[in-house]
Amino acid sequence: MKQEKYTDALIHFQKALSEHRTQDVANKVKEVEHILKEQERLSFINPEISQQEKAKGNEQFQKGKYPEAIKHYTEAIKRNPEEAKLFSNRAACYTKLLEFNLALKDSEDCIRLDPDFVKGYLRKAGSLVALKDPEGASKVYRKAMEISPDSKEAIDGYRKCIAQEDPESMRKRAMNDPEVQAILGDPAMQMILQQMQKDPKALQEHLKNPEVAKKMEKLMESGLIAFR
């Protein structure tokens, strides 16, 4: 149905509602209002204009004019609300302005729209760090590392986060990690860990095995073991 028809229907229902209020008519008014609002939103979408606004936002961001950049990114989002990178860009602006809750919201929208876009996770983790939630941030950094194993920002961020966690929280989180559980359940690793307790120097020989070294690094990152 065209917008004009819905507008006429809304006028008709509103008139009926003013004369004799019933729940059925009230529901129809809400339904038509919702349809008209959605039609207005869809008519506003224009990916080409969105890209133009994004470019303007990028330019303002480079100049350090973050409030102006936000205005352009917001307009770009209205014109193309399914573009994940726009939310990431606006989150970066909010971070610069120390509006970490707003940055967190945008980064979550970014992840929702594109779960494989690693920058969304990095933005979210950075916001959580700023909001004093290193445990939550470490989980997000871990997800970023799953998507991009070589991401230095994700690796460094994760290590900094776990260094801030209290030992008990770190231990609980580590014990719920399936990878850690598998390592601790490995008889060969159990033997190596027992040898470490008796003779710490024996570890050096075991670390020559790349597979063992990788598992040891995982346990160390999880805060379950420490060695020099």
Side-chain angles (χ1 to χ4, degrees), residues 63-80:
K63 293 178 180 179
K65 297 181 178 180
Y66 306 119
E68 289 82 355
I70 287 173
K71 291 178 183 178
H72 289 296
Y73 288 140
T74 299
E75 183 66 19
I77 288 170
K78 289 179 181 178
R79 295 289 184 172
N80 190 4

Side-chain angles (χ1 to χ4, degrees), residues 39-47 49 75 78-80:
Q39 285 186 340
E40 182 181 4
R41 185 186 72 83
L42 291 174
S43 68
F44 198 69
I45 292 175
N46 187 317
I49 294 178
E75 183 66 19
K78 289 179 181 178
R79 295 289 184 172
N80 190 4

Side-chain angles (χ1 to χ4, degrees), residues 42-107:
L42 291 174
S43 68
F44 198 69
I45 292 175
N46 187 317
E48 184 177 346
I49 294 178
S50 177
Q51 286 300 307
Q52 294 171 2
E53 290 296 328
K54 178 184 177 182
K56 292 177 182 178
N58 291 345
E59 183 180 349
Q60 295 301 316
F61 185 89
Q62 292 298 325
K63 293 178 180 179
K65 297 181 178 180
Y66 306 119
E68 289 82 355
I70 287 173
K71 291 178 183 178
H72 289 296
Y73 288 140
T74 299
E75 183 66 19
I77 288 170
K78 289 179 181 178
R79 295 289 184 172
N80 190 4
E82 301 302 313
E83 175 56 60
K85 292 180 180 179
L86 295 174
F87 289 93
S88 174
N89 289 2
R90 193 170 66 176
C93 292
Y94 284 134
T95 297
K96 292 290 187 181
L97 295 173
L98 307 184
E99 295 284 356
F100 300 116
N101 282 309
L102 293 175
L104 178 63
K105 173 65 170 60
D106 269 359
S107 61

Side-chain angles (χ1 to χ4, degrees), residues 30 185 218:
K30 288 182 180 179
K218 173 65 179 178

Side-chain angles (χ1 to χ4, degrees), residues 25 28 39 61 68 72 87-88 107 116 123 147 150 156 174 221:
V25 175
K28 289 185 182 300
Q39 285 186 340
F61 185 89
E68 289 82 355
H72 289 296
F87 289 93
S88 174
S107 61
D116 295 323
R123 300 269 192 238
I147 297 171
D150 297 327
D156 290 346
E221 287 181 353

